[in-house]
């Protein structure tokens, strides 16, 4: 069987660290980078006699997420004890939610690259999102023959977001993870820092013969902390499962780890099912009751969501679905674009989008800068777009002006244009004089054009633009050159 004879089934479980000041059941700090075990209080390590107290801020963030995805915020949810032994889990159980989670359902709409330069729409349904505490961390690298235990993360508030198995490729899984990453940052419930473990992905992957209704046996790839690793791990796991089955083997349900150095997954342990954890309601925590008034108050505080803003960009500014989605990939990018259009005028909305996603994005990526740290402000970029629109400068000259703005060589596009004498030449007489000089110096190209070689005309246009140092109006050059050549 070929790869196309198999269908891939993927579901993601994503752990988002909520950006509260303290832990979910204690007042200990969750600040990153503290000395090991400096932020683990008596509640976090379950000393005898301590009791957990639920963090209201964590609940509000869960409500915010539920509303943002169009899910159902449960009026009553229950905290449970998930029992298992691990060295960095001092209690011997994790406080989580099982039968009654805080959020049920919801969906994420996204655009997925089709591998041919285009995109297609995909809807991913969500099963649930539930609140839970994080465990500590086992450290192996710095200890020879021993394991160090850092309990600073124990009790850190998490919202675990579980999708339906709706994805059919690693590209769809990555697009979904990126969309979710953008959303939790947009609604300000998580900083999204994957290097610090604030946003971690577990991927459930299985394969089945195309056309088969029954799912194959899944394996769960744990703790993927970059989109690149997510794609690599899923692609390797897919091929591994297909090869195993085609060689007569059978996939065993398991938890696996991805090794970025080798690009391979390896089994860590046989996969537990829910009954292995012996869930039962936590006797120390009352049911979580969320009133309709509380939900409506949180709804009123939500910002305009990416999907709504993207639709507005399409409707009001005439952008394509792809452009609108790209500009709403982060709240900061969307705001920069809105500020640029506000200063340049809605008539220039498409041009503003091209510059934000094109030249500006490329320079920011190269400099490894976030758009909030852009050396070129929205107002400066708007000024540049306006000067292109009114034909003060050409697109070629605009890149020189942008470079000067980036390097802080002027406070505005106008100042740079005036200081460097970059205004576009639109005087017909001046352009005709340049064309006459070029034609006289390039008789071979003239003859080739008259012999029917269209490329010769483009070469002459290029010579005219070069002779004018890029300042001549390209449209006028084309028009006058055609007249001169008859």
């Amino acid at each position: 069987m070929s790869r196309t004879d198999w269908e891939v089934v993927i579901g993601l479980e994503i752990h988002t660290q909520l950006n509260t000041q303290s832990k979910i059941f204690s007042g200990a700090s969750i600040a990153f980078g503290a000395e090991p075990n400096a932020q683990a209080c008596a509640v976090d390590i379950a000393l005898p006699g301590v009791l957990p107290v639920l963090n209201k801020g964590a609940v509000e963030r869960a409500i915010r997420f539920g509303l943002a995805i169009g899910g159902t915020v449960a009026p009553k949810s229950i905290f449970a004890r998930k029992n298992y032994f691990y060295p960095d889990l001092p209690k011997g159980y994790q406080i989580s939610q099982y039968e009654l989670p805080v959020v049920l359902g919801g969906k994420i709409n996204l655009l997925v690259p089709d591998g041919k330069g285009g995109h297609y729409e995909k809807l991913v349904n969500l099963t649930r999102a539930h609140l839970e505490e994080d465990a500590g961390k086992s450290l192996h690298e710095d200890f020879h023959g021993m394991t160090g235990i850092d309990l600073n993360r124990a009790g850190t508030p998490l919202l675990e977001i579980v999708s339906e198995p709706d994805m059919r490729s690693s590209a769809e899984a990555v697009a979904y993870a990126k969309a979710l990453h953008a959303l939790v940052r947009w609604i300000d419930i998580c900083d999204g820092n994957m290097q610090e473990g604030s946003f971690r992905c577990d991927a459930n992957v299985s394969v089945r013969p195309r056309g088969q209704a029954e799912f194959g046996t899944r394996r769960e790839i744990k703790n993927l902390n970059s989109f690149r690793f997510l794609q690599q791990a899923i692609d390797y796991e897919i091929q591994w499962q297909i090869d195993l089955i085609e060689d007569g083997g059978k996939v065993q349900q398991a938890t696996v780890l991805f090794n970025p150095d080798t690009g391979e997954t390896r089994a860590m342990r046989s996969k537990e099912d829910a009954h292995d954890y012996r869930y039962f309601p936590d006797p120390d925590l009352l049911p979580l009751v969320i009133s309709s008034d509380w939900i409506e108050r949180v709804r009123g505080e939500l910002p305009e969501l990416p999907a709504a803003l993207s639709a507005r960009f399409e409707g009001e500014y005439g952008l394509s679905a792809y452009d609108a989605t790209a500009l709403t990939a982060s709240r900061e990018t969307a705001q920069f674009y809105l500020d640029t259009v506000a200063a340049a005028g809605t008539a220039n909305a498409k041009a503003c989008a091209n510059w934000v996603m094109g030249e500006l994005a490329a320079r920011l990526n190269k400099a490894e800068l976030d758009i909030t740290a852009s050396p070129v402000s929205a107002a400066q970029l708007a000024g540049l777009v306006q000067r292109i629109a009114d034909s003060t400068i050409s697109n070629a000259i605009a890149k020189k002006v942008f470079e000067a703005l980036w390097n802080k060589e002027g406070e505005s596009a106008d100042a740079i244009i005036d200081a460097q004498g970059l205004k576009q030449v639109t005087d017909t007489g001046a352009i005709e004089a340049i064309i006459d000089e070029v034609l006289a110096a390039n008789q071979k190209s003239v003859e080739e054009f008259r012999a029917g070689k269209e490329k010769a005309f483009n070469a002459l246009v290029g010579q005219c633009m070069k002779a004018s140092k890029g300042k001549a109006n390209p449209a006028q050059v084309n028009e006058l050159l055609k007249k001169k050549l008859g």
Side-chain angles (χ1 to χ4, degrees):
M1 297 173 73
S2 70
R3 176 75 176 265
T4 56
D5 295 322
W6 294 93
E7 184 175 48
V8 180
V9 178
I10 302 167
L12 294 189
E13 299 171 12
I14 294 180
H15 294 83
T16 56
Q17 178 178 319
L18 301 175
N19 57 359
T20 54
Q21 295 298 308
S22 58
K23 295 184 178 179
I24 189 167
F25 299 117
S26 80
S29 171
I30 63 169
F32 183 80
E35 287 295 313
N37 298 304
Q39 295 178 176
C41 73
V43 174
D44 306 328
I45 60 177
L47 292 182
V50 299
L51 290 171
V53 177
L54 180 58
N55 185 328
K56 183 179 179 182
V59 178
E60 290 223 340
R61 284 160 176 77
I63 296 171
R64 206 179 301 169
F65 178 76
L67 294 173
I69 61 166
T72 300
V73 178
K76 179 181 178 181
S77 59
I78 303 292
F79 284 98
R81 290 186 179 182
K82 180 182 181 182
N83 295 273
Y84 63 96
F85 172 78
Y86 208 69
D88 57 16
L89 193 70
K91 293 195 289 282
Y93 63 85
Q94 176 192 32
I95 301 177
S96 182
Q97 292 185 315
Y98 177 49
E99 290 181 340
L100 294 174
V102 67
V103 174
L104 281 167
K107 60 186 177 182
I108 298 283
N109 288 290
L110 48 126
L111 289 178
V112 184
D114 62 9
K116 303 173 185 176
H119 296 78
Y120 63 91
E121 292 185 10
K122 177 72 179 181
L123 172 68
V124 177
N125 293 290
L126 276 64
T127 309
R128 58 188 280 151
H130 60 262
L131 287 163
E132 65 182 19
E133 60 179 347
D134 205 354
K137 189 175 183 181
S138 297
L139 307 170
H140 310 289
E141 293 81 1
D142 299 328
F143 302 92
H144 300 289
M146 296 183 293
T147 295
I149 302 296
D150 179 8
L151 297 173
N152 280 346
R153 286 195 68 90
T156 296
L158 301 178
L159 185 68
E160 181 174 348
I161 303 162
V162 183
S163 81
E164 290 288 307
D166 286 345
M167 290 154 276
R168 297 293 177 264
S169 68
S170 62
E172 290 186 359
V174 170
Y176 165 75
K178 285 182 175 179
L180 202 57
H181 182 263
L183 180 62
V184 297
R185 291 183 65 245
W186 189 288
I187 61 176
D188 194 24
I189 67 170
C190 172
D191 64 21
N193 192 319
M194 300 182 81
Q195 288 72 35
E196 295 180 2
S198 298
F199 190 91
R200 311 191 301 270
C201 304
D202 298 343
N204 290 289
V205 181
S206 66
V207 299
R208 62 184 176 187
R210 192 168 297 281
Q212 176 179 299
E214 182 183 351
F215 288 148
T217 302
R218 63 189 168 89
R219 302 214 310 169
E220 182 180 22
I221 313 169
K222 295 288 286 185
N223 292 328
L224 298 163
N225 65 349
S226 85
F227 300 122
R228 182 164 59 91
F229 292 165
L230 176 64
Q231 183 141 21
Q232 289 176 349
I234 291 174
D235 284 338
Y236 178 85
E237 181 65 24
I238 291 168
Q239 195 60 53
W240 183 90
Q241 291 188 24
I242 292 173
D243 290 344
L244 176 67
I245 297 169
E246 291 187 339
D247 288 342
K250 188 176 181 181
V251 176
Q252 300 294 324
Q253 188 171 325
T255 298
V256 303
L257 296 176
F258 175 68
N259 185 334
D261 296 326
T262 64
E264 299 176 347
T265 57
R266 62 175 176 84
M268 180 172 67
R269 62 176 183 266
S270 60
K271 174 63 181 172
E272 298 92 345
D273 285 313
H275 63 261
D276 295 315
Y277 292 117
R278 305 190 322 279
Y279 283 99
F280 66 87
D282 193 305
D284 291 335
L285 286 160
L286 292 169
L288 171 59
V289 176
I290 300 174
S291 68
S292 57
D293 288 345
W294 191 2
I295 293 171
E296 290 309 310
R297 179 174 63 77
V298 173
R299 192 193 305 275
E301 295 169 355
L302 277 175
E304 185 176 15
L305 297 173
L309 187 55
S310 180
R312 184 152 70 88
F313 285 169
E314 289 183 60
E316 293 182 18
Y317 298 163
L319 302 187
S320 68
Y322 174 76
D323 287 352
T325 301
L327 288 167
T328 53
S330 79
R331 198 170 172 182
E332 294 80 9
T333 299
Q335 191 58 56
F336 189 99
Y337 174 66
L338 283 167
D339 292 343
T340 306
V341 173
T346 54
N348 296 316
K350 176 57 178 172
C352 291
N354 292 342
W355 276 90
V356 171
M357 295 187 300
E359 197 73 24
L360 180 65
R363 291 303 300 264
L364 291 171
N365 287 337
K366 186 177 180 181
E368 296 183 350
L369 291 174
D370 188 82
I371 198 164
T372 56
S374 172
V376 180
S377 70
Q380 288 175 315
L381 188 62
L384 175 61
V385 170
Q386 287 176 315
R387 295 293 81 80
I388 301 168
D390 65 15
S391 298
T392 299
I393 55 174
S394 65
N395 279 307
I397 294 296
K399 292 185 177 180
K400 293 182 181 180
V401 177
F402 181 86
E403 186 73 22
L405 287 170
W406 183 273
N407 293 321
K408 299 294 183 185
E409 294 175 17
E411 287 300 310
S412 68
D414 286 339
I416 292 165
I417 291 165
D418 290 342
Q420 298 185 21
L422 299 175
K423 281 187 179 178
Q424 189 165 242
V425 176
T426 56
D427 178 76
T428 301
I431 294 175
E432 283 185 336
I434 292 170
I435 290 173
D436 289 339
E437 290 179 12
V438 168
L439 292 178
N442 293 272
Q443 280 301 308
K444 185 179 178 182
S445 293
V446 173
E447 290 169 9
E448 287 177 348
F449 171 74
R450 286 177 173 154
K453 292 184 179 179
E454 196 64 34
K455 286 184 179 179
F457 180 80
N458 295 333
L460 290 168
V461 171
Q463 288 297 320
C464 292
M465 295 305 297
K466 183 179 179 181
S468 72
K469 297 180 181 178
K471 295 180 186 177
N473 183 297
Q476 286 182 274
V477 169
N478 271 268
E479 183 184 349
L480 294 171
L481 183 59
K482 283 177 182 176
K483 286 182 179 179
K484 292 275 184 182
L485 291 168

